[in-house]
Amino acid sequence: MRNEKNDIKIRECTTLEELAECVQVQREVFALPECELSPVRHLVVTKNAGGFSLGAYDGERLAGFVLSVPAYINGRRAFYSHMTGVRPEYQSHGLGAKLKWAQRARALAEGVDYIRWTFEPIKARNAFFNLEKLGAVVREYRVNFYGTDYGTSPELDGMKLGLASDRLMTDWELNDPKVAALAAGETPMKGAMMPVGEIVTVEDWLGLVAENPEAAKAEQLRIRSEFQVAFASGFVASGFTRDSERPAFLLY
């Protein structure tokens, strides 16, 4: 593997062979049962319905991809970002961000300025990436989005997590000044608003699940309740602080 990020080229996956490789990346990254993978047929249908799969290529090797499904959400044309996956050996090199910014550029070129996706509220790394690195915001908490016991954890040798698949619904306003600044590699200007609350999550979530599944379930219920109360009161999560003892969503 070449580690230099400049070697990675982003382009659309168009052939059946390239789309099949996207399925293989899913197997390696998400450790899902075969029936839960998005098959080549789904990727082909998505492309022909106006969506696209962007691949990050290290030479001829697919290092990762992002899938964008055409949608109509909240009265607007949009893309639903169904999944973003980066092969393990390419992770921690900024490739996920490169794929998301390429997704933004492609959406804007097609006249779409709004993208949605979900992520797990208990994973601090994903929260920081989505809210701080990309400038997305969260206003909705979806309980058991995919169904209880959905999926397994590759980090825990495929162990069933035994938890509800709660998700935060993420809104990415592509022309928002903060997002535009981040896309340009700039530091966004701080607004006049200050955070008025926070929801503390768990730094080592997988470790907690492995060590004490019941404690993990209790933490999930706590986080769920706090988000539901906050969103019902009109709060928006648009920031995240990374802290080894107290990682937290910032509410405005």
Side-chain angles (χ1 to χ4, degrees), residues 62-97:
L62 182 65
F65 80 103
V66 59
L67 172 61
S68 303
V69 180
Y72 195 76
I73 303 171
N74 296 332
R76 303 166 60 183
R77 283 184 65 207
F79 284 109
Y80 188 88
S81 188
H82 179 46
M83 62 178 66
T84 302
V86 177
R87 279 183 153 129
E89 65 267 32
Y90 290 93
Q91 292 176 9
S92 300
H93 292 282
L95 196 51

Side-chain angles (χ1 to χ4, degrees), residues 78-158:
F79 284 109
Y80 188 88
S81 188
H82 179 46
M83 62 178 66
T84 302
V86 177
R87 279 183 153 129
E89 65 267 32
Y90 290 93
Q91 292 176 9
S92 300
H93 292 282
L95 196 51
K98 194 167 186 175
L99 281 165
K100 294 298 289 185
W101 292 125
Q103 181 188 41
R104 173 183 181 267
R106 172 65 177 268
L108 289 173
E110 297 194 11
V112 175
D113 62 1
Y114 177 38
I115 297 178
R116 263 197 156 191
W117 66 89
T118 64
F119 71 96
E120 296 175 73
I122 42 71
K123 288 191 175 178
R125 182 175 181 179
N126 289 351
F128 185 84
F129 176 74
N130 290 326
L131 304 186
E132 296 291 343
K133 293 293 187 181
L134 299 180
V137 301
V138 177
R139 298 181 178 87
E140 296 181 47
Y141 191 102
R142 300 291 183 90
V143 176
N144 205 22
F145 191 64
Y146 294 110
T148 303
D149 279 335
Y150 176 82
T152 57
S153 168
E155 295 95 336
L156 297 179
D157 296 325

Side-chain angles (χ1 to χ4, degrees), residues 36-49:
E36 299 286 0
L37 301 177
S38 288
V40 171
R41 182 182 295 267
H42 176 218
L43 304 184
V44 171
V45 169
T46 297
K47 173 176 170 55
N48 282 274

